Amino acid sequence: MTTKTLKIDFVSDVSCPWCIIGLQALEQAADRLKGEVALDLHFQPFELNPQMGPAGQDIGEHLHEKYGASPEQSQKNREAIAARGAELGFTFNMDKRSRIYNTFDAHRLLHWAEEKGLQSALKKALFKAYFTDGQSPGDHGVLVRVAGEVGLDANAARELLASDRYASEVRQREQFYQQQGIHSVPAIIINDRHLISGGQPVEVFEQALRQIAAQG
């Protein structure tokens, strides 16, 4: 049996908890299909809060404004997300995540990391920095440190963030996916044709990957 490589455009934001849940489930599904299916994974930018200022916003206040969620509803949602994450081997420390931030610069750094072959490593490290360690993905110091930890040149990362490099490329990609009708994430596009939305269970991804690979 030959391994079928599937192109995956994973449209997501590093401040989206369901995006790391979806990523963990997708990769675990691919592990179950090792030898049958391989993933050619590309992370595409989506900002949940493109108008967010650099200081961010209290997360409880933000969720109430955006979704009308009460503190009790927000707490239940946090518990459900943490439980799903734990099932998939990812730790959400919700007590450490008190604010939500602008992530545009993180997306610029991810665009650069793709050119260096380290996009996936950086994406996962940024999820961990925010959801596990409670650090701001909008903070240049955090971004530079995390870039260095995954093997990117920290000085080059610092210079990139101080400039507007890749700003137009990231905006173009964001607009492209919005024009394709993607208004919530994660949105997982397989071979430019098949869309799976949301943090689905491993079994859902496994079935979809197998079926799409079988189509040739």
Side-chain angles (χ1 to χ4, degrees):
M1 181 184 289
T2 56
T3 302
K4 179 78 176 181
T5 299
L6 301 178
K7 178 181 176 240
I8 309 284
D9 287 297
F10 195 99
V11 187
S12 59
D13 196 353
V14 295
S15 64
C16 159
W18 289 105
C19 293
I20 179 58
I21 286 171
L23 178 60
Q24 293 283 104
L26 174 67
E27 292 196 323
Q28 288 179 26
D31 282 343
R32 291 183 183 182
L33 298 171
K34 197 162 275 182
E36 294 176 59
V37 171
L39 305 183
D40 175 23
L41 190 55
H42 304 270
F43 291 98
Q44 304 295 355
F46 185 98
E47 289 178 83
L48 288 173
N49 302 288
Q51 309 309 320
M52 184 69 69
Q57 183 182 19
D58 175 81
I59 198 158
E61 181 183 291
H62 174 77
L63 292 172
H64 179 69
E65 277 181 18
K66 193 167 184 179
Y67 304 110
S70 69
E72 294 76 22
Q73 286 169 324
S74 293
Q75 181 60 28
K76 278 189 178 173
N77 288 340
R78 282 195 292 270
E79 288 169 5
I81 287 166
R84 279 292 302 281
E87 285 171 16
L88 294 162
F90 184 84
T91 302
F92 286 96
N93 288 321
M94 294 301 196
D95 55 324
K96 292 186 178 180
R97 188 174 69 111
S98 60
R99 298 185 77 74
I100 196 146
Y101 298 95
N102 185 291
T103 55
F104 185 72
D105 284 343
H107 288 299
R108 291 198 295 126
L109 203 63
L110 284 159
H111 187 98
W112 173 61
E114 182 172 28
E115 295 180 355
K116 303 295 182 184
L118 288 166
Q119 191 187 41
S120 189
L122 180 62
K123 185 78 168 185
K124 290 174 188 174
L126 290 172
F127 279 132
K128 179 182 179 294
Y130 183 47
F131 289 112
T132 307
D133 304 331
Q135 297 166 347
S136 166
D139 183 292
H140 285 192
V142 171
L143 293 173
V144 168
R145 193 199 75 243
V146 172
E149 286 171 356
V150 301
L152 290 159
D153 183 319
N155 287 328
R158 188 177 293 108
E159 287 172 15
L160 184 156
L161 292 166
S163 72
D164 65 352
R165 195 169 160 207
Y166 299 125
S168 61
E169 289 89 340
V170 168
R171 287 199 180 94
Q172 282 168 10
R173 284 197 185 183
E174 287 179 335
Q175 287 165 7
F176 171 79
Y177 287 103
Q178 286 168 15
Q179 285 162 2
Q180 300 303 304
I182 290 170
H183 301 294
S184 63
V185 287
I188 298 99
I189 303 161
I190 305 172
N191 285 349
D192 300 316
R193 288 198 304 275
H194 309 276
L195 173 66
I196 303 173
S197 298
Q200 300 291 342
V202 177
E203 292 74 19
V204 171
F205 283 116
E206 182 184 2
Q207 184 180 13
L209 295 175
R210 181 179 281 119
Q211 285 178 348
I212 293 165
Q215 289 171 13

